[in-house]
Amino acid sequence: MKILIKNANIVTPYEIKRSSSLVIEDGKIINICKGLCEDGSFDDIIDAEGNYLSPGFIDIHNHGNFGHDFMEATFEAFDIMADFHIKNGVTSFLATTITQKDSAIRRALISVGEYIESGSKDSKIKAQMLGIYLEGPYFAVEKKGAQPEEYIKTPDIGELKEFIDLSKNNIKIVALAPEIDGAKEAVRFLREKGITISAAHTVATYEEAKLGMDMGITLITHLYNGMRDFSHREPGIIGAALTDERVACELICDGIHLHVGAMELAVRMKGKDGIVLVSDAMMATGLEDGKYELGGQDVYVRDGAARLEDGTLAGSTLTLDRAVYNMVHLVGVSLEDAVRMASLNPARVIGVERTKGSIEIGKDADLIVFDRDINILMAIVKGKVRNCR
């Protein structure tokens, strides 16, 4: 199957190629041209009508959407969430767990592993689940956020081995607090396994955070949220994260979790390569305000903000297309850099940048078409086209 997409403003990692075209064959990008590609005959020709053609977004940190959560551990729920993702420009994602009782985490890992291995039984074109983001249960109680305190504990190598096996080796990221007992051993073990380690829900000092980075931590879960506050006498993990080039920082760019000034600071310190846009979405995403659930706890959504009864933020109702829009219109980031933060940067975090995350010849044709307001018009997953209008 050979497809031509013409009359597009193509968003590459380095520039926007205006009035250009792109050729897909057998699910791969095979040519990018200024003007019209002259590659002979095509099975399909798509007119982008002067809209933007960009790599599909990759949401590495999201708990659910459209009334469902990955802890439900059913193929039906996974299909519904993957279908919602693609309508919002996400062509790939990780299934994110939450701190819960052991049996619930195990059930989710088994189900996600089987879903990835066997593939969806639903023939509809939707976002691809690439793996698992294990958020917890290895955290500091003082910064638990919406993680249920009764299930928080210290890392155990035997348990981590079991989790990896149950997932069929599909755990891509493990988030933990680097200062707690057993964290150093866990970081060492996970690094040997090639799993990305993220610092999260932590009271780590600057020195403790830097030691974790020296050992192999390369990601910071939702920067500023769920961590020791910054102080000029104790910069803590925030200071370490902003000044260490070895780590990337997640941002929840919804205008609720973070002040615009805090986002501007992160972008100035980390640059276009060091920010990863995430949604941290929970099951209310895509639905109306009301009462929902996260990690077995009641969550109340009002004006799009998801909070526990005590007011603690409990995930978000953000979608990644709106996160990109907010980075451009609230923070003042260029469109190509905002797209990079939602595509190439997360691809690098989970080690799939050779095949996904940018428009380059030879990569998977995971693409989206959107207008100037970043409304998603079309999505393409490995060369298969879905109209999202």
Side-chain angles (χ1 to χ4, degrees), residues 28-340:
K28 300 285 186 182
I29 299 167
I30 66 165
N31 202 1
I32 304 166
C33 307
K34 178 68 177 176
L36 192 64
C37 290
E38 303 289 348
D39 283 41
S41 61
F42 299 97
D43 299 295
D44 191 14
I45 298 176
I46 297 169
D47 188 348
E49 300 175 348
N51 290 299
Y52 293 96
L53 176 66
S54 104
F57 303 142
I58 302 174
D59 195 353
I60 61 171
H61 186 170
N62 59 107
H63 295 275
N65 60 56
F66 215 62
H68 294 279
D69 187 293
F70 291 110
M71 298 300 287
E72 290 178 40
T74 68
F75 281 26
E76 180 184 9
F78 299 160
D79 280 341
I80 290 169
M81 290 183 282
D83 185 63
F84 180 84
H85 269 310
I86 203 166
K87 295 174 184 176
N88 294 280
V90 172
T91 54
S92 300
F93 64 95
L94 298 185
T96 306
T97 62
I98 192 169
T99 299
Q100 258 295 336
K101 57 186 177 181
D102 294 347
S103 60
I105 293 175
R106 287 180 171 86
R107 184 171 64 250
L109 296 178
I110 291 169
S111 188
V112 170
E114 290 176 347
Y115 182 86
I116 292 172
E117 186 176 81
S118 65
S120 171
K121 303 298 186 290
D122 183 357
S123 60
K124 189 183 296 182
I125 298 164
K126 53 189 167 302
Q128 310 162 81
M129 186 189 289
L130 298 182
I132 297 163
Y133 190 130
L134 190 71
E135 189 181 10
Y138 313 124
F139 293 141
V141 170
E142 300 94 320
K143 289 294 181 180
K144 66 181 186 299
Q147 304 282 328
E149 182 176 343
E150 62 266 37
Y151 302 117
I152 290 175
K153 56 185 175 180
T154 55
D156 177 84
I157 301 301
E159 182 173 68
L160 282 168
K161 288 179 179 176
E162 182 185 3
F163 284 171
I164 293 167
D165 289 342
L166 290 174
S167 76
K168 300 183 185 294
N169 295 307
N170 280 300
I171 294 177
K172 302 297 184 186
I173 300 173
V174 173
L176 51 76
E179 76 282 4
I180 62 176
D181 290 343
K184 295 181 183 65
E185 293 79 7
V187 169
R188 189 178 298 113
F189 168 75
L190 292 166
R191 185 179 181 185
E192 290 172 355
K193 292 290 184 180
I195 295 172
T196 299
I197 309 120
S198 188
H201 296 282
T202 169
V203 291
T205 63
Y206 181 87
E207 287 74 19
E208 288 169 333
K210 290 292 282 188
L211 178 58
M213 295 167 192
D214 290 341
M215 295 185 66
I217 289 173
T218 57
L219 183 65
I220 306 297
T221 298
H222 43 54
L223 180 69
Y224 301 115
N225 292 282
M227 56 189 62
R228 177 191 288 269
D229 291 339
F230 176 90
S231 164
H232 60 292
R233 292 194 177 92
E234 173 47 80
I237 190 164
I238 294 173
L242 290 176
T243 56
D244 196 312
E245 295 180 352
R246 296 172 297 179
V247 295
C249 296
E250 297 178 3
L251 287 185
I252 306 172
C253 189
D254 61 354
I256 297 169
H257 281 76
L258 300 173
H259 189 280
V260 170
M263 291 188 280
E264 289 179 353
L265 173 62
V267 171
R268 286 174 183 257
M269 293 298 295
K270 302 304 297 182
K272 64 184 179 183
D273 293 316
I275 299 295
V276 177
L277 296 181
V278 299
S279 68
D280 196 16
M282 49 84 69
M283 64 163 57
T285 305
L287 301 176
E288 297 179 351
D289 287 359
K291 182 179 177 182
Y292 296 92
E293 183 181 296
L294 179 66
Q297 306 160 107
D298 290 338
V299 175
Y300 300 88
V301 179
R302 298 185 181 92
D303 298 323
R307 299 179 185 272
L308 301 180
E309 191 170 13
D310 65 4
T312 300
L313 284 168
S316 84
T317 59
L318 181 67
T319 54
L320 223 51
D321 55 338
R322 293 304 92 193
V324 171
Y325 179 92
N326 290 341
M327 285 301 289
V328 173
H329 293 276
L330 295 181
V331 186
V333 172
S334 69
L335 177 60
E336 58 265 39
D337 285 353
V339 166
R340 174 191 287 255

